[in-house]
Amino acid sequence: MRHIRFPTSDLRPPASERRVLLGHGSGGKLSADLVEELIVPRFSNPALDALGDSAVVAIPEGGGRLAITTDSYVVDPIFFPGGDIGDLAVNGTVNDLAMAGADPLYLTLGMVIEEGLLFSDLERVLDSVKRSADSAGVKVVAGDTKVVPRGKADKLFLNTSGVGLVPAGFVSARENIGPGDAVILSGTIGDHGVAVMSKRAGLGFATEVRSDTAALHRMAAALRRLGGALRFMRDPTRGGLAATLCEACRGRPCGVEIGETVIPIDPGVRAACDLLGLDPLHVANEGKMVAFVAPERADEALAAMRGFVEGNDAAVIGRAVETRPGMVVLLTRAGGKRIVDLPAGEILPRIC
Amino acid sequence: MKYIDEFHDGAAAGALSAKIAAAAGRIGRPVRLMEVCGTHTVAVHRHGLRDLFPPGLKLVSGPGCPVCVTPADYVDSAIKAASLPGVTVVTFGDMVRVPGSRSTLVDARASGADVRVVYSPTDALEAAAGEPAREVVFLGVGFETTVPSVAGTMVEARRRGVKNFSVLGAFKQIPNTMRALISDPALAIDGFLCPAHVAAIIGSAAYSFIPAEFKRPCVVAGFEPLDILYGVLGLVTQLAEGRAEVENQYSRVVKTGGNALARRVVHEVLEPADAVWRGIGTIPVSGFRIREGWRDQDAARRFDLSVPALVENPGCRCGEVLRGSLDPPGCSLFGKGCTPERPVGPCMVSSEGSCAANYKYSRQE
Amino acid sequence: MCLAVPMRVVGDPEGSRATVEAEGVVRVVDVSLVEGVVPGDYLIVHAGFAIEKLDVADAEERIELFREMARLDAENPGTEKGG
Ligand code: SF4
């Protein structure tokens, strides 16, 4: 009789093909394995390692007010030139805190995973979360994982909530903006949107443009030193620079005038927008901020921003004006003027 | 971008603006010009070019874009196609927000239909080749500029033997539509900025009936700010000198005879036909239909896409807007019942539709 | 109605396809509607198809004309006004 030898290893697929199963979100053994294997080793810190129902954390000495924010991240594709959904989920929430004047402290991480996502992809995203959180100096202290059947989600959705501390006395509010205030933009527009679109099926173009995803809290903290001369900060994400400026002055007694020739933009972004018929003012950013600053302190603010890599290309792009209250007006390269409006719905390529 | 950025120079724009004012001054009366093409409309707004025209010069927008003039029942048919099991509708981005009689393709997608946006009809063909089990219907909307691309894709589909690719056609032709516009006595237009990328295909000579029959000057101009200003300068100069000719100022792209090869490809697959223009009605020989020999790629014959006859919103005055006889704010629905987010008529649909462009960019002081 | 942009052909076309580039944006386009496409040509690209070649000499001439206008205007500002 022939001796039949069974393979000695288990029947699990090779590591490169391992996929997330519905069971990984069941709350049972597989769930626990996933947390033990992927989450705890990466993000280990006392608050997280306790694996309690809530993370219990200390508020740093010195007082101030808490800033709390939450945001969900869905992006197709989840990996794109210059980053991935993990970077976005950390930097996006850190930036929301930073724009409120907060020093970010803690994040939570919620994941909705589509059944069948490759483990290797999930790990790659978690590595990005870890790297971005470390470089921003924030701790991931709590999390949650759900797995939904194939087709009920698109690969991976993330949610991060963030907690930060705002120093006593600091207020960033659009109500502070007054005529004459300088509008300073921290760098080029449209990079993120174009990078993501270049990877989307159906558009079929390639570009060297990379997402600008970055945490801005250090730059924002530097600007806070201007005190009341820093009127308002905001990071233009979806809807682009146009949406941020429109929101800043909507319903207010002053408007904003910006100059097309002074808005920093990568030639590759402009070319992609020309090709697809998009207005770069509407295209998303993930690592840019706009600051409204008292005119006499504008140079100082600009220098402060340029001191950071993510603010190297910062420029004064315009000012708040009394004419046309509530509106954003662009002085065009050709020497005309036009109203800048919010994008209507989804940003779609046009050929006509 | 090379050969785009050079045509944006502010100093040259200022110089052209002064020349336009001087020439317009020599005409000695107010002047109304029409840009027929929606891409010109958008460029004029986007670059704020109206600020560079003298007060007596008005540039009105014509029946701009193939999306605006696509009838609502075409959209209804496209939605019907998208709702059929196993059918994917693939389209240019411009079409998905166009309202049919009740809803848009965006709404259809939200209720589960497979609607995809592409940049090129070749991307739609690739989708079909990649998913042979699905039927891919491409929405063939466009003027002469776009029609060869769709026809070329149909030829390619046949060559490659891709059987699950078809086209729902709503092709349009410009010259007879301009003829219909110009023949309207309510129309008071002194000269025309002619669609330039259309001219790349049909040739600048295709507009020669306008000066010959209607004694109006025409200029074929490019789409960058300096091109448009130079085109307007050409028109006011002709008017000041009492001339009416077709002037091709976009000779870096447009030839007198156009692109014969592209027209041959169109001719192989399509034949001239009457077409319905939303807000205007049927215009003789202002479109194309798919030839009998290509019926296997004609979605309208391959599937039952018949829909009930449509009811137009009686408040919508797009017909007049498209003829240039009404400015968008003159419509009582403008900015109230009708906005770019919830468009009523075609002119509010595409971002370059006259009403949408006017709503978005014009000074609202 | 018809957005089209000039893009430069990089590499030899393969059959009806050619790779075009502008400012690092790269796309494969169909060149079956234009005769005699060679590397270095600027094509007018619309919806993924080249619909014409751009005549570079003609373009340069026009750019020069506009430069000249700007220069003259800078030297004699306002001479055209009020005519
Ligand atoms: S504003 Fe709306 S309803 Fe009025 S003409 Fe324009 S598209 Fe039609």
Side-chain angles (χ1 to χ4, degrees):
Chain A
M1 193 177 146
R2 295 257 307 277
H3 180 71
I4 300 170
R5 276 214 289 163
F6 289 93
T8 47
S9 66
D10 61 21
L11 292 170
R12 291 206 309 195
S16 62
E17 284 165 31
R18 225 177 126 203
R19 289 176 187 277
V20 176
L21 309 175
L22 271 179
H24 283 114
S26 64
K29 167 89 170 69
L30 280 177
S31 297
D33 286 354
L34 188 127
V35 171
E36 289 296 337
E37 187 187 334
L38 299 187
I39 306 293
V40 175
R42 269 191 185 74
F43 300 107
S44 179
N45 59 63
L48 178 74
D49 297 350
L51 296 179
D53 286 331
S54 294
V56 178
V57 295
I59 299 173
E61 307 282 309
R65 292 151 300 154
L66 283 182
I68 304 171
T69 187
T70 189
D71 209 344
S72 298
Y73 297 84
V74 295
V75 58
D76 170 35
I78 59 174
F79 301 102
F80 44 81
D84 62 42
I85 190 171
D87 300 299
L88 290 190
V90 173
N91 294 336
T93 296
V94 163
N95 292 347
D96 285 347
L97 293 171
M99 294 304 114
D103 292 315
L105 299 171
Y106 305 115
L107 291 183
T108 67
L109 176 68
M111 301 190 279
V112 175
I113 308 173
E114 183 188 21
E115 171 189 26
L117 181 75
L118 283 170
F119 254 71
S120 54
D121 283 349
L122 180 59
E123 290 189 65
R124 200 174 143 196
V125 169
L126 289 171
D127 285 341
S128 298
V129 171
K130 164 74 174 159
R131 189 174 11 87
S132 294
D134 282 354
S135 92
V138 291
K139 291 196 169 61
V140 176
V141 292
D144 175 54
T145 307
K146 295 287 185 299
V147 182
V148 298
R150 221 175 225 288
K152 302 290 180 196
D154 188 7
K155 296 186 192 68
L156 179 63
F157 300 156
L158 297 183
N159 171 281
T160 49
S161 294
V163 177
L165 203 61
V166 187
F170 180 82
V171 188
S172 154
R174 63 194 200 97
E175 287 73 18
N176 297 344
I177 299 170
D181 286 351
V183 181
I184 310 179
L185 173 68
S186 66
T188 53
I189 57 167
D191 301 73
H192 176 73
V194 165
V196 169
M197 272 184 270
S198 74
K199 291 294 163 199
R200 208 164 273 169
L203 299 186
F205 73 96
T207 165
E208 289 145 22
V209 175
R210 297 162 65 79
S211 168
D212 57 350
T213 177
L216 303 170
H217 58 299
R218 295 191 179 92
M219 184 156 57
L223 289 177
R224 279 200 321 249
R225 285 190 219 114
L226 297 170
L230 173 61
R231 318 289 201 209
F232 179 62
M233 300 185 278
R234 184 51 74 75
D235 57 331
T237 55
R238 278 173 310 165
L241 180 63
T244 293
L245 295 179
C246 287
E247 274 156 31
C249 61
R250 192 180 54 216
R252 301 294 308 156
C254 61
V256 171
E257 214 166 72
I258 53 174
E260 190 169 30
T261 52
V262 288
I263 297 172
I265 181 166
D266 181 288
V269 169
R270 200 150 79 201
C273 287
D274 282 343
L275 180 73
L276 300 175
L278 307 176
D279 183 347
L281 293 175
H282 287 163
V283 178
N285 312 282
E286 287 292 346
K288 295 292 152 31
M289 64 177 287
V290 173
F292 286 76
V293 178
E296 66 279 6
R297 307 286 296 275
D299 288 345
E300 200 183 324
L302 192 61
M305 284 164 103
R306 286 190 175 156
F308 295 87
V309 205
E310 55 275 18
N312 270 342
D313 298 325
V316 175
I317 59 163
R319 61 205 170 90
V321 291
E322 267 166 318
T323 46
R324 299 202 189 85
M327 287 191 173
V328 180
V329 171
L330 178 78
L331 307 177
T332 71
R333 271 188 281 173
K337 287 184 181 181
R338 71 149 155 112
I339 304 274
V340 175
D341 215 338
L342 294 169
E346 200 184 344
I347 309 287
L348 295 169
R350 305 182 306 134
I351 60 105
C352 296
Chain B
M1 225 181 211
K2 189 143 175 62
Y3 299 122
I4 286 192
D5 294 343
E6 296 90 332
F7 296 94
H8 284 248
D9 179 61
L16 281 164
S17 167
K19 286 180 193 298
I20 290 170
R26 286 200 297 275
I27 301 172
R29 63 175 171 86
V31 176
R32 279 164 67 89
L33 307 175
M34 173 182 273
E35 91 276 358
V36 177
C37 169
T39 306
H40 277 140
T41 305
V42 165
V44 166
H45 282 289
R46 194 161 182 178
H47 303 296
L49 300 186
R50 287 206 162 78
D51 292 341
L52 303 180
F53 298 147
L57 191 155
K58 194 156 158 60
L59 190 61
V60 301
S61 303
C65 76
V67 166
C68 319
V69 297
T70 297
D73 55 358
Y74 175 86
V75 178
D76 292 346
S77 288
I79 291 171
K80 187 167 178 188
S83 322
L84 296 175
V87 173
T88 297
V89 164
V90 181
T91 175
F92 297 131
D94 318 45
M95 273 307 290
V96 298
R97 276 196 292 265
V98 180
S101 58
R102 280 183 315 277
S103 59
T104 65
L105 284 158
V106 168
D107 301 325
R109 187 175 60 190
S111 29
D114 187 5
V115 177
R116 301 182 202 169
V117 170
V118 290
Y119 163 68
S120 169
T122 57
D123 299 327
L125 180 58
E126 292 314 323
E131 294 172 71
R134 290 193 72 80
E135 280 288 342
V136 170
V137 174
F138 181 70
L139 302 186
V141 173
F143 288 160
E144 288 94 329
T145 319
T146 315
V147 174
S149 312
V150 182
T153 305
M154 292 172 75
V155 171
E156 181 69 4
R158 178 168 286 185
R159 196 187 63 78
R160 284 169 54 180
V162 180
K163 298 276 184 237
N164 57 326
F165 176 80
S166 60
V167 170
L168 186 61
F171 307 108
K172 299 284 190 287
Q173 299 194 51
I174 283 291
N176 279 339
T177 309
M178 285 184 74
R179 185 187 296 276
L181 279 172
I182 301 172
S183 310
D184 184 333
L187 185 91
I189 301 290
D190 297 301
F192 293 88
L193 213 52
C194 292
H197 287 140
V198 164
I201 305 296
I202 65 175
S204 56
Y207 300 120
S208 54
F209 73 94
I210 298 174
E213 293 173 31
F214 300 96
K215 308 280 178 287
R216 301 289 214 291
C218 292
V219 170
V220 175
F223 297 92
E224 306 313 320
L226 298 187
D227 287 322
I228 295 174
L229 292 170
Y230 199 51
V232 168
L233 176 61
L235 286 173
V236 288
T237 305
Q238 284 199 45
L239 289 166
E241 295 171 2
R243 288 185 293 131
E245 299 158 10
V246 175
E247 214 174 301
N248 179 10
Q249 290 184 351
Y250 196 36
S251 48
R252 65 180 187 269
V253 174
V254 173
K255 301 194 188 94
T256 314
N259 181 342
L261 176 56
R263 290 201 304 274
R264 270 207 299 282
V265 173
V266 172
H267 182 78
E268 186 182 342
V269 180
L270 308 173
E271 59 193 353
D274 297 351
V276 183
W277 293 62
R278 190 170 185 159
I280 296 182
T282 301
I283 299 177
V285 203
S286 66
F288 294 99
R289 66 167 164 256
I290 298 173
R291 285 184 190 277
E292 193 56 36
W294 291 79
R295 59 178 304 147
D296 57 315
Q297 284 192 43
D298 187 348
R301 294 194 250 191
R302 217 152 125 161
F303 308 98
D304 174 20
L305 301 180
S306 54
V307 291
L310 63 101
V311 197
E312 298 249 7
N313 185 319
C316 175
R317 299 178 66 185
C318 270
E320 290 155 82
V321 171
L322 292 181
R323 282 193 184 90
S325 57
L326 179 79
D327 273 340
C331 169
S332 60
L333 295 176
F334 180 82
K336 302 182 186 86
C338 182
T339 61
E341 293 77 35
R342 296 222 122 260
V344 172
C347 322
M348 194 60 97
V349 173
S350 159
S351 64
E352 58 195 29
S354 315
C355 293
N358 196 297
Y359 182 87
K360 270 176 72 174
Y361 297 136
S362 65
R363 235 78 73 251
Q364 298 154 4
E365 285 160 305
Chain C
M1 81 206 79
C2 307
L3 278 170
V5 292
M7 298 181 82
R8 199 172 49 91
V9 179
V10 290
D12 286 310
E14 287 173 33
S16 62
R17 321 283 278 158
T19 303
V20 295
E21 185 270 348
E23 307 288 0
V25 172
V26 177
R27 156 109 203 173
V28 174
V29 297
D30 189 300
V31 292
S32 61
L33 305 175
V34 179
E35 255 147 341
V37 170
V38 295
D41 279 351
Y42 279 84
L43 299 178
I44 301 298
V45 174
H46 168 76
F49 277 72
I51 57 166
E52 237 332 329
K53 277 191 200 178
L54 177 116
D55 182 337
V56 169
D58 186 298
E60 294 292 352
E61 208 175 289
R62 182 57 54 87
I63 291 166
E64 195 41 52
L65 173 88
F66 287 146
R67 278 204 193 110
E68 185 64 15
M69 275 186 194
R71 200 178 55 75
L72 285 177
D73 194 59
E75 283 170 9
N76 308 299
T79 46
E80 296 269 6
K81 294 235 164 71

